[in-house]
Amino acid sequence: MVQTKDYFPQKDRIQHVYDSYRPFLAKIMSQIEADLKNTIKLASMPTYKSRIKTFASYYRKILRLKTEEAEVSTKLVTLTDMMGIRVICAFLEDLPEVVRQVKANYAVKEVEYKGAEQTFREFGYESIHVLIGIPEKCMEEARHLYPDIEVPEGIVCEIQIRTILQDAWAEVEHELIYKTEFTPFDMPLRRKLASMNASLTLADITFQEIRDYQRKLHEETDARRESFYNQVDLATVTHIPELQSDSTEKKISRVSPYVRGTVDDMLLEAIHAHNSGELERAVVIYTQILGIDPVPAEPVLAVIHKHRGMAYFAQGDYDKALQDFKESVAHDAMNFRALYYMGIVYSVKNEHEKAVSCFDQSIDLNKYQSHAYYRRAISRYKLGQDTDALADLSAAEQLGLKDEGCLILKEKLVGKLGLAM
């Protein structure tokens, strides 16, 4: 008659087997984590956590699976979550992108969206779990270090993809509920947990909305800056005809409108109007922002004056543009762009000594401005400072500026100085 105890897994033997595999699994996991760090590319790079399943957790799971002693005491039973690597992202938009990149670079066995089926009344964590096969290069390194280990059949690595807040909730839930196998029955407590989960989810959504807003603002700002520089090029060739090239033309980017609301929304609407050529409307909105009570903070005032100065410049009102750029510098002494714009205005007004002074100050604050060297070269050229102008052009070229105006001016300076190109 078989004794009952023979049907129970022998825990010590199972632990001995599992412990013998831990270094092997740890090596594979570290290799995959290093590979992920080189493979996953996001605007905001993720952080990583990794862990080998503890024996206690491994053993509990084996018991739940009711694995026979003969299977678990002599060899490793492979579980899908023995090796886990978390890819922790800043924004919700990053999650599908990480999934896409993992699918593109690894042999994906399964993708599971945990928590996706839950309602807003529930408090379970959300996470994307991707099971991947072990890359051969990672396996080879582990085999080399541990040649006596028999590679388990069907071994995989679990990659968990979450936002920072999803990971925080998962950590807390794991300690409060999963590890203690606790499910609250008290309705007020359940509601509190559901409320906490909903608050974190809402925070993730809000962060993503802010991210989307920032992206739109950057797109609008880049379009506005491009439009401004086109206006500068037109003004430059008007006052210095010898720099005229066939490709000089006015380009204004057009983007979709944005609804006014907060100060940030007003700024975005103003920049959109600016980009769309509605300069008077842009000036009105900039002026409204400057007149808000309470007065915006110094950095905000610096930005608004700079933007309004660019709008005035586009309208051909150089005196008002200059005044706004000066105000921008007054609110932010490190505002190298406003100093650069002041130099441009002085250059257009044929006040080249003042222009050079402004360009000097701007370059002192940021020496990596190729266009600032180019503009200073133009003013030095007009002042007859040909050697210095040529040195500025050389600096501009070293920083990557090779547009047609730069080449035209260089030819003229080289010719005047009797040098070879």
Side-chain angles (χ1 to χ4, degrees), residues 293-340:
D293 186 20
V295 177
E298 290 286 295
V300 177
L301 292 174
V303 169
I304 302 305
H305 277 293
K306 182 176 67 176
H307 287 344
R308 190 174 69 174
M310 296 167 79
Y312 279 136
F313 185 95
Q315 289 178 308
D317 195 333
Y318 301 138
D319 291 334
K320 286 185 178 179
L322 184 60
Q323 185 58 42
D324 261 335
F325 294 146
K326 288 180 178 179
E327 288 285 345
S328 182
V329 174
H331 291 296
D332 179 7
M334 304 300 291
N335 195 337
F336 63 90
R337 280 202 176 91
L339 285 163
Y340 170 53

Side-chain angles (χ1 to χ4, degrees), residues 82-217:
M82 288 192 302
M83 293 178 287
I85 301 173
R86 293 183 194 172
V87 183
I88 305 170
C89 305
F91 302 102
L92 288 170
E93 69 177 6
D94 296 330
L95 305 186
E97 179 58 22
V98 173
V99 173
R100 186 192 68 79
Q101 293 186 32
V102 169
K103 286 182 175 180
N105 291 280
Y106 300 92
V108 172
K109 308 294 185 180
E110 180 183 333
V111 180
E112 181 181 5
Y113 293 83
K114 289 187 176 290
E117 74 286 352
Q118 294 171 345
T119 71
F120 70 91
R121 295 185 179 88
E122 297 175 293
F123 50 84
Y125 75 91
E126 293 185 56
S127 182
I128 303 173
H129 290 194
V130 182
L131 299 182
I132 66 167
I134 309 303
E136 186 59 33
K137 59 182 178 181
C138 300
M139 188 67 80
E140 286 179 1
E141 182 69 20
R143 283 199 193 102
H144 176 73
L145 292 175
Y146 304 99
D148 296 331
I149 290 291
E150 180 182 351
V151 177
E153 185 178 348
I155 186 172
V156 295
C157 180
E158 181 180 71
I159 300 174
Q160 302 172 355
I161 306 166
R162 303 170 180 165
T163 65
I164 295 169
L165 295 182
Q166 286 174 348
D167 187 62
W169 174 254
E171 291 279 12
V172 173
E173 189 204 40
H174 187 74
E175 292 295 323
L176 288 180
I177 299 172
Y178 179 77
K179 284 176 65 173
T180 59
E181 297 183 353
F182 165 71
T183 300
F185 295 99
D186 180 62
M187 187 54 68
L189 184 55
R190 291 178 63 86
R191 286 173 176 166
K192 287 178 181 177
L193 287 169
S195 176
M196 289 171 58
N197 189 21
S199 295
L200 290 174
T201 300
L202 179 60
D204 254 337
I205 293 171
T206 301
F207 287 151
Q208 185 60 56
E209 289 176 346
I210 293 171
R211 181 70 161 180
D212 293 341
Y213 170 85
Q214 288 177 329
R215 181 179 292 108
K216 187 170 183 61
L217 179 60

